[in-house]
Coordinates of all heavy atoms in Angstrom, one line a residue:
M87 N 0.9 -1.2 0.0 CA 0.0 0.0 0.0 C 0.9 1.2 0.0 O 1.8 1.3 0.8 CB -0.9 0.0 1.2 CG -1.8 1.1 1.4 SD -3.2 1.0 0.2 CE -4.2 -0.3 0.9
T88 N 0.6 2.2 -0.9 CA 1.3 3.5 -0.8 C 0.3 4.5 -0.5 O -0.9 4.4 -0.9 CB 2.0 3.8 -2.2 OG1 1.0 3.9 -3.2 CG2 3.0 2.8 -2.5
V89 N 0.7 5.6 0.1 CA -0.2 6.7 0.5 C 0.4 8.0 -0.1 O 1.6 8.2 0.1 CB -0.3 6.7 2.0 CG1 -0.8 8.0 2.5 CG2 -1.2 5.6 2.5
N90 N -0.4 8.7 -0.7 CA 0.0 10.0 -1.2 C -0.9 11.1 -0.5 O -2.1 11.0 -0.5 CB -0.2 10.1 -2.7 CG 0.4 11.4 -3.3 OD1 -0.4 12.3 -3.5 ND2 1.6 11.4 -3.5
I91 N -0.2 12.1 0.0 CA -0.9 13.1 0.8 C -0.8 14.5 0.1 O 0.2 14.9 -0.4 CB -0.3 13.2 2.2 CG1 -0.3 11.9 2.9 CG2 -1.0 14.2 3.1 CD1 0.6 11.8 4.1
D92 N -1.9 15.2 0.2 CA -1.9 16.6 -0.2 C -2.5 17.4 1.0 O -3.4 17.0 1.7 CB -3.0 16.8 -1.3 CG -2.3 16.9 -2.7 OD1 -1.1 17.2 -2.7 OD2 -3.0 16.7 -3.7
V93 N -1.9 18.6 1.2 CA -2.5 19.5 2.1 C -2.9 20.8 1.4 O -2.2 21.3 0.5 CB -1.6 19.8 3.4 CG1 -1.4 18.5 4.2 CG2 -0.3 20.4 3.0
D94 N -4.0 21.4 1.9 CA -4.4 22.7 1.3 C -4.2 23.7 2.4 O -5.0 23.9 3.3 CB -5.9 22.6 0.9 CG -6.4 23.9 0.2 OD1 -5.7 24.9 0.3 OD2 -7.5 23.8 -0.4
Q95 N -3.1 24.5 2.3 CA -2.8 25.4 3.3 C -3.8 26.6 3.4 O -3.9 27.2 4.4 CB -1.4 26.0 3.1 CG -0.3 25.0 3.3 CD 1.1 25.5 3.1 OE1 1.3 26.3 2.2 NE2 2.1 25.1 3.9
S96 N -4.5 26.8 2.3 CA -5.5 27.9 2.3 C -6.7 27.5 3.2 O -7.5 28.4 3.6 CB -5.9 28.3 0.9 OG -6.7 27.3 0.3
R97 N -6.9 26.2 3.4 CA -8.1 25.8 4.2 C -7.7 25.6 5.7 O -8.6 25.6 6.5 CB -8.6 24.4 3.7 CG -9.2 24.5 2.3 CD -9.7 23.1 1.9 NE -10.8 22.7 2.7 CZ -12.0 22.5 2.2 NH1 -12.2 22.6 0.9 NH2 -13.0 22.1 2.9
C98 N -6.4 25.3 5.9 CA -6.0 25.0 7.2 C -6.3 26.1 8.2 O -6.1 27.3 8.0 CB -4.5 24.8 7.2 SG -3.7 24.5 8.8
V99 N -6.9 25.7 9.4 CA -7.2 26.7 10.5 C -6.2 26.5 11.6 O -6.5 27.0 12.7 CB -8.6 26.5 10.9 CG1 -9.6 26.9 9.8 CG2 -8.9 25.1 11.5
A100 N -5.1 25.8 11.4 CA -4.0 25.8 12.4 C -4.4 25.1 13.7 O -3.9 25.4 14.8 CB -3.4 27.2 12.7
A101 N -5.3 24.1 13.6 CA -5.8 23.4 14.8 C -4.7 22.5 15.4 O -4.7 22.2 16.5 CB -7.1 22.6 14.5
G102 N -3.9 22.0 14.5 CA -2.7 21.1 15.0 C -3.0 19.7 15.2 O -2.2 18.9 15.7
H103 N -4.2 19.2 14.9 CA -4.5 17.8 15.2 C -3.7 16.9 14.3 O -3.3 15.8 14.7 CB -6.0 17.5 14.9 CG -7.0 18.3 15.7 ND1 -6.8 18.4 17.1 CD2 -8.0 19.0 15.4 CE1 -7.8 19.2 17.5 NE2 -8.5 19.6 16.5
C104 N -3.4 17.3 13.1 CA -2.6 16.5 12.2 C -1.2 16.2 12.8 O -0.6 15.1 12.7 CB -2.5 17.1 10.8 SG -1.9 18.8 10.9
V105 N -0.6 17.2 13.4 CA 0.7 17.1 14.0 C 0.7 16.1 15.2 O 1.6 15.3 15.4 CB 1.3 18.5 14.4 CG1 2.6 18.4 15.1 CG2 1.3 19.4 13.2
S106 N -0.4 16.2 16.0 CA -0.5 15.2 17.1 C -0.6 13.8 16.6 O -0.1 12.9 17.1 CB -1.7 15.6 17.9 OG -1.7 16.9 18.4
A107 N -1.4 13.6 15.5 CA -1.6 12.3 15.0 C -0.4 11.7 14.2 O -0.2 10.5 14.3 CB -2.9 12.3 14.0
A108 N 0.3 12.5 13.5 CA 1.4 12.0 12.7 C 2.5 13.1 12.6 O 2.7 13.8 11.6 CB 0.9 11.7 11.3
P109 N 3.3 13.2 13.7 CA 4.3 14.2 13.9 C 5.5 14.1 12.9 O 6.2 15.1 12.7 CB 4.8 14.1 15.3 CG 4.3 12.8 15.8 CD 3.2 12.4 15.0
E110 N 5.7 12.9 12.3 CA 6.8 12.8 11.3 C 6.3 13.2 9.9 O 7.1 13.3 9.0 CB 7.3 11.4 11.3 CG 8.0 11.0 12.5 CD 8.5 9.5 12.5 OE1 8.8 9.0 11.4 OE2 8.5 8.9 13.6
V111 N 5.0 13.4 9.8 CA 4.5 13.7 8.4 C 4.0 15.2 8.3 O 4.1 15.8 7.3 CB 3.3 12.8 8.1 CG1 2.7 13.1 6.7 CG2 3.8 11.3 8.2
F112 N 3.5 15.7 9.4 CA 3.0 17.1 9.4 C 3.7 17.9 10.4 O 4.1 17.5 11.5 CB 1.5 17.1 9.8 CG 0.6 16.3 8.9 CD1 0.2 15.0 9.3 CD2 0.3 16.7 7.6 CE1 -0.6 14.2 8.5 CE2 -0.5 15.9 6.8 CZ -1.0 14.7 7.2
D113 N 3.9 19.2 10.1 CA 4.4 20.2 11.0 C 3.6 21.5 10.9 O 2.7 21.5 10.0 CB 5.9 20.5 10.7 CG 6.6 21.1 11.9 OD1 6.0 21.4 12.9 OD2 7.8 21.4 11.7
Q114 N 3.8 22.4 11.7 CA 3.1 23.7 11.6 C 4.1 24.8 11.5 O 5.1 24.8 12.1 CB 2.2 23.9 12.8 CG 1.0 23.0 12.8 CD 0.2 23.2 14.1 OE1 0.5 22.7 15.1 NE2 -0.9 24.1 14.0
R115 N 3.8 25.8 10.6 CA 4.7 27.0 10.5 C 4.8 27.7 11.8 O 3.7 27.9 12.5 CB 4.1 28.0 9.4 CG 4.2 27.4 8.0 CD 4.1 28.5 7.0 NE 2.8 29.3 7.1 CZ 2.1 29.6 6.0 NH1 2.4 29.1 4.8 NH2 1.0 30.3 6.1
D116 N 6.0 28.2 12.2 CA 6.2 28.9 13.4 C 5.3 30.1 13.5 O 4.8 30.5 14.5 CB 7.6 29.2 13.6 CG 8.5 28.0 13.9 OD1 8.0 27.0 14.3 OD2 9.7 28.1 13.7
E117 N 5.2 30.9 12.4 CA 4.6 32.2 12.5 C 3.1 32.2 12.6 O 2.5 33.0 13.3 CB 5.0 33.1 11.3 CG 4.7 32.5 9.9 CD 5.8 31.6 9.3 OE1 6.5 30.9 10.0 OE2 5.8 31.6 8.0
D118 N 2.4 31.2 12.0 CA 0.9 31.2 12.0 C 0.3 29.9 12.3 O -0.9 29.8 12.3 CB 0.4 31.8 10.7 CG 0.9 31.1 9.5 OD1 1.5 30.0 9.6 OD2 0.6 31.6 8.4
G119 N 1.1 28.8 12.4 CA 0.5 27.5 12.8 C -0.1 26.8 11.6 O -0.6 25.7 11.8
V120 N 0.1 27.3 10.4 CA -0.5 26.6 9.2 C 0.3 25.4 8.9 O 1.6 25.4 9.1 CB -0.5 27.6 8.0 CG1 -0.8 26.8 6.7 CG2 -1.6 28.6 8.2
V121 N -0.4 24.3 8.5 CA 0.3 23.0 8.3 C 1.4 23.1 7.2 O 1.3 23.8 6.2 CB -0.8 22.0 7.9 CG1 -1.4 22.3 6.5 CG2 -0.3 20.6 7.9
V122 N 2.4 22.3 7.5 CA 3.5 22.0 6.5 C 3.6 20.5 6.3 O 3.6 19.8 7.3 CB 4.8 22.6 7.1 CG1 6.0 22.3 6.1 CG2 4.7 24.1 7.3
L123 N 3.6 20.1 5.1 CA 3.7 18.7 4.8 C 5.2 18.3 4.8 O 5.9 18.8 3.9 CB 3.0 18.4 3.5 CG 2.9 16.9 3.1 CD1 2.2 16.1 4.1 CD2 2.3 16.8 1.7
L124 N 5.6 17.4 5.6 CA 7.0 17.0 5.7 C 7.3 15.8 4.8 O 8.4 15.6 4.3 CB 7.4 16.6 7.1 CG 7.2 17.7 8.2 CD1 7.5 17.1 9.6 CD2 8.1 18.9 7.9
D125 N 6.3 15.0 4.5 CA 6.5 13.8 3.8 C 5.2 13.4 3.0 O 4.3 13.0 3.6 CB 6.9 12.6 4.8 CG 7.3 11.4 4.1 OD1 7.2 11.3 2.8 OD2 7.7 10.4 4.8
E126 N 5.2 13.6 1.7 CA 4.0 13.3 1.0 C 3.8 11.8 0.7 O 2.7 11.4 0.3 CB 3.9 14.1 -0.3 CG 4.9 13.9 -1.3 CD 4.7 14.8 -2.5 OE1 4.5 16.0 -2.3 OE2 4.9 14.3 -3.7
N127 N 4.8 11.0 0.8 CA 4.7 9.6 0.6 C 5.3 8.8 1.9 O 6.3 8.2 1.8 CB 5.4 9.1 -0.6 CG 4.9 9.7 -1.9 OD1 5.5 10.6 -2.5 ND2 3.6 9.4 -2.2
P128 N 4.6 8.9 3.0 CA 5.2 8.4 4.2 C 5.2 6.8 4.2 O 4.5 6.1 3.5 CB 4.2 8.9 5.3 CG 2.9 9.1 4.6 CD 3.3 9.5 3.2
A129 N 6.1 6.3 5.1 CA 6.3 4.9 5.2 C 5.1 4.3 5.9 O 4.2 4.9 6.5 CB 7.5 4.7 6.1
E130 N 5.0 3.0 5.7 CA 3.8 2.2 6.1 C 3.4 2.4 7.6 O 2.3 2.6 7.9 CB 4.2 0.7 6.0 CG 3.0 -0.2 6.0 CD 2.5 -0.7 4.6 OE1 3.4 -0.6 3.6 OE2 1.4 -1.0 4.4
H131 N 4.4 2.5 8.5 CA 4.1 2.7 9.9 C 3.4 4.0 10.2 O 2.9 4.2 11.3 CB 5.3 2.5 10.8 CG 6.3 3.6 10.7 ND1 7.3 3.6 9.7 CD2 6.5 4.7 11.5 CE1 8.0 4.7 9.9 NE2 7.6 5.4 10.9
E132 N 3.4 5.0 9.2 CA 2.8 6.3 9.4 C 1.4 6.3 8.9 O 0.6 7.3 9.1 CB 3.6 7.4 8.7 CG 5.0 7.6 9.3 CD 4.9 8.3 10.6 OE1 3.8 8.9 10.9 OE2 5.9 8.3 11.4
H133 N 1.0 5.3 8.1 CA -0.3 5.4 7.4 C -1.5 5.6 8.3 O -2.4 6.3 8.1 CB -0.5 4.1 6.5 CG 0.5 4.1 5.4 ND1 0.4 3.1 4.4 CD2 1.5 4.9 5.0 CE1 1.4 3.4 3.5 NE2 2.1 4.4 3.9
E134 N -1.5 4.8 9.4 CA -2.7 4.9 10.3 C -2.8 6.3 10.9 O -3.9 6.9 11.0 CB -2.5 3.9 11.5 CG -3.8 3.7 12.2 CD -3.8 2.5 13.2 OE1 -3.1 1.6 12.9 OE2 -4.4 2.6 14.2
G135 N -1.6 6.9 11.3 CA -1.7 8.3 11.9 C -2.1 9.3 10.8 O -2.8 10.2 11.1
V136 N -1.7 9.0 9.6 CA -2.1 10.0 8.5 C -3.6 9.9 8.2 O -4.3 10.9 8.1 CB -1.3 9.6 7.2 CG1 -1.9 10.2 6.0 CG2 0.1 10.0 7.3
R137 N -4.2 8.7 8.2 CA -5.6 8.6 8.1 C -6.3 9.3 9.2 O -7.3 9.9 9.0 CB -6.0 7.1 8.0 CG -5.7 6.4 6.8 CD -6.2 5.0 6.7 NE -5.4 4.2 5.8 CZ -4.5 3.2 6.2 NH1 -4.4 3.0 7.5 NH2 -3.8 2.6 5.4
E138 N -5.8 9.1 10.4 CA -6.4 9.7 11.6 C -6.4 11.2 11.5 O -7.3 11.9 11.8 CB -5.7 9.2 12.8 CG -6.4 9.6 14.1 CD -5.6 9.2 15.4 OE1 -4.8 8.3 15.2 OE2 -5.9 9.8 16.4
A139 N -5.2 11.7 11.0 CA -5.1 13.2 10.8 C -6.1 13.7 9.9 O -6.7 14.8 10.1 CB -3.7 13.5 10.3
A140 N -6.3 13.0 8.8 CA -7.3 13.5 7.8 C -8.7 13.5 8.4 O -9.5 14.4 8.1 CB -7.3 12.6 6.6
L141 N -9.0 12.5 9.2 CA -10.3 12.4 9.8 C -10.5 13.6 10.9 O -11.6 14.1 11.0 CB -10.6 11.1 10.5 CG -10.8 9.9 9.6 CD1 -10.8 8.6 10.4 CD2 -12.2 10.1 8.9
L142 N -9.4 13.8 11.6 CA -9.5 14.8 12.7 C -9.5 16.2 12.2 O -10.0 17.1 12.9 CB -8.3 14.6 13.7 CG -8.3 13.3 14.5 CD1 -7.0 13.2 15.3 CD2 -9.5 13.4 15.5
C143 N -8.9 16.5 11.1 CA -8.8 17.9 10.6 C -10.1 18.6 10.5 O -11.0 18.1 9.7 CB -8.0 17.9 9.3 SG -7.9 19.6 8.6
P144 N -10.3 19.6 11.2 CA -11.7 20.3 11.2 C -12.0 21.0 9.9 O -13.1 21.4 9.7 CB -11.6 21.3 12.4 CG -10.1 21.5 12.6 CD -9.4 20.3 12.1
S145 N -11.0 21.3 9.1 CA -11.3 22.0 7.9 C -11.1 21.2 6.6 O -11.1 21.7 5.5 CB -10.3 23.2 7.8 OG -9.0 22.8 7.9
A146 N -10.9 19.9 6.8 CA -10.8 18.9 5.6 C -9.7 19.4 4.7 O -9.8 19.4 3.5 CB -12.1 18.8 4.9
A147 N -8.6 19.8 5.3 CA -7.4 20.3 4.5 C -6.5 19.2 4.1 O -5.6 19.5 3.3 CB -6.7 21.4 5.3
I148 N -6.7 18.0 4.5 CA -5.8 16.9 4.2 C -6.5 15.9 3.3 O -7.6 15.4 3.6 CB -5.3 16.2 5.5 CG1 -4.6 17.2 6.5 CG2 -4.4 15.0 5.2 CD1 -4.4 16.7 7.9
T149 N -5.9 15.6 2.2 CA -6.4 14.6 1.3 C -5.4 13.4 1.3 O -4.2 13.6 1.1 CB -6.5 15.2 -0.2 OG1 -7.3 16.3 -0.1 CG2 -7.1 14.1 -1.1
V150 N -5.9 12.2 1.5 CA -5.1 11.0 1.5 C -5.5 10.1 0.3 O -6.7 9.8 0.3 CB -5.2 10.3 2.8 CG1 -4.4 9.0 2.8 CG2 -4.8 11.2 4.0
R151 N -4.6 9.8 -0.5 CA -4.9 8.8 -1.6 C -4.1 7.6 -1.4 O -2.9 7.6 -1.1 CB -4.5 9.4 -3.0 CG -5.4 10.5 -3.4 CD -5.1 10.9 -4.9 NE -5.5 12.3 -5.0 CZ -4.6 13.3 -4.7 NH1 -3.4 13.1 -4.4 NH2 -5.0 14.6 -4.8
E152 N -4.8 6.4 -1.4 CA -4.2 5.2 -1.2 C -4.2 4.3 -2.4 O -5.2 4.3 -3.1 CB -4.9 4.4 0.0 CG -5.0 5.3 1.2 CD -5.3 4.5 2.5 OE1 -4.9 3.3 2.6 OE2 -6.0 5.0 3.3
A153 N -3.1 3.6 -2.6 CA -3.1 2.7 -3.8 C -2.2 1.5 -3.5 O -1.3 1.6 -2.7 CB -2.4 3.4 -5.0
E154 N -2.6 0.4 -4.0 CA -1.8 -0.8 -3.9 C -0.5 -0.6 -4.6 O -0.4 0.0 -5.6 CB -2.5 -2.0 -4.5 CG -3.8 -2.5 -3.8 CD -3.6 -2.9 -2.4 OE1 -2.5 -3.4 -2.1 OE2 -4.5 -2.7 -1.6
R155 N 0.6 -1.0 -3.9 CA 1.9 -0.9 -4.5 C 2.1 -1.8 -5.7 O 1.7 -3.0 -5.6 CB 3.0 -1.2 -3.4 CG 4.3 -0.7 -3.7 CD 5.3 -1.3 -2.8 NE 5.0 -0.9 -1.4 CZ 5.4 0.2 -0.8 NH1 6.2 1.0 -1.5 NH2 5.1 0.4 0.4
R156 N 2.6 -1.3 -6.8 CA 2.8 -2.2 -7.9 C 4.2 -2.6 -8.0 O 5.1 -1.7 -7.8 CB 2.4 -1.5 -9.2 CG 0.9 -1.3 -9.3 CD 0.5 -0.7 -10.6 NE -0.9 -0.2 -10.5 CZ -1.4 0.8 -11.2 NH1 -0.7 1.3 -12.1 NH2 -2.7 1.1 -11.0
S157 N 4.5 -3.8 -8.3 CA 5.9 -4.2 -8.3 C 6.2 -4.9 -9.7 O 5.3 -5.1 -10.4 CB 6.3 -5.2 -7.2 OG 5.4 -6.2 -7.2
Ligands
SF4_32 S1 -5.5 19.4 11.5 FE1 -6.1 20.5 9.6 S2 -6.6 22.6 10.3 FE2 -5.4 21.6 11.9 S3 -3.2 22.2 11.4 FE3 -3.6 20.2 10.5 S4 -4.3 20.7 8.4 FE4 -4.5 22.5 9.6

């Protein structure tokens, strides 16, 4: 399974739930708290946290696309 993440910084309300759920994938800008995407294709062990972040985000600023890995 691969996961591809998009964040829409114009929707973000700086609530920070994404950082709590997946701190290796999301960060917040120091000046205004708006989300920063650290890793758009995170490793498998981050996937659950990423899905949780997308569910928790109050402004639906996180899009997660999942696909089976092709080899
Ligand atoms: S949870 Fe959503 S609104 Fe909150 S910082 Fe993350 S992307 Fe922004």
